Amino acid sequence: MKPIRVGILGQGRSGRDIHGRFLQTVPDMYEIAVVVDPLKERRERAEKEYHCDTYADYREILNRKD
């Protein structure tokens, strides 16, 4: 079964340290496809850690087909 592709809105304490960390422990179940955060340094860190697309505004992901 293919992993479910998910997005994380925000890379603060909960978004990164709780949700992001958990999702990385179950790669057979979930793949982090996108992260949204208004802070550039958090987006850059997410790209490196999760190998995903990033956006500054959540509205940018609404037209994605995945």
Side-chain angles (χ1 to χ4, degrees):
M1 187 165 92
K2 289 174 53 174
I4 297 170
R5 294 172 53 85
V6 299
I8 302 174
L9 302 182
Q11 282 290 280
R13 186 185 65 82
S14 293
R16 180 173 183 245
D17 297 337
I18 296 172
H19 304 298
R21 186 171 291 157
F22 169 74
L23 291 168
Q24 286 185 301
T25 67
V26 287
D28 54 319
M29 295 176 65
Y30 300 101
E31 174 188 350
I32 300 170
V34 63
V35 164
V36 178
D37 197 286
L39 299 177
K40 182 180 179 182
E41 57 271 8
R42 287 183 178 181
R43 292 193 309 272
E44 290 172 348
R45 183 179 62 204
E47 289 172 6
K48 291 176 186 172
E49 290 180 356
Y50 308 136
H51 308 286
C52 67
D53 297 332
T54 62
Y55 298 91
D57 188 311
Y58 77 91
R59 291 172 283 212
E60 297 179 78
I61 67 170
L62 299 178
N63 292 324
R64 286 179 64 119
K65 302 299 181 212
D66 60 343

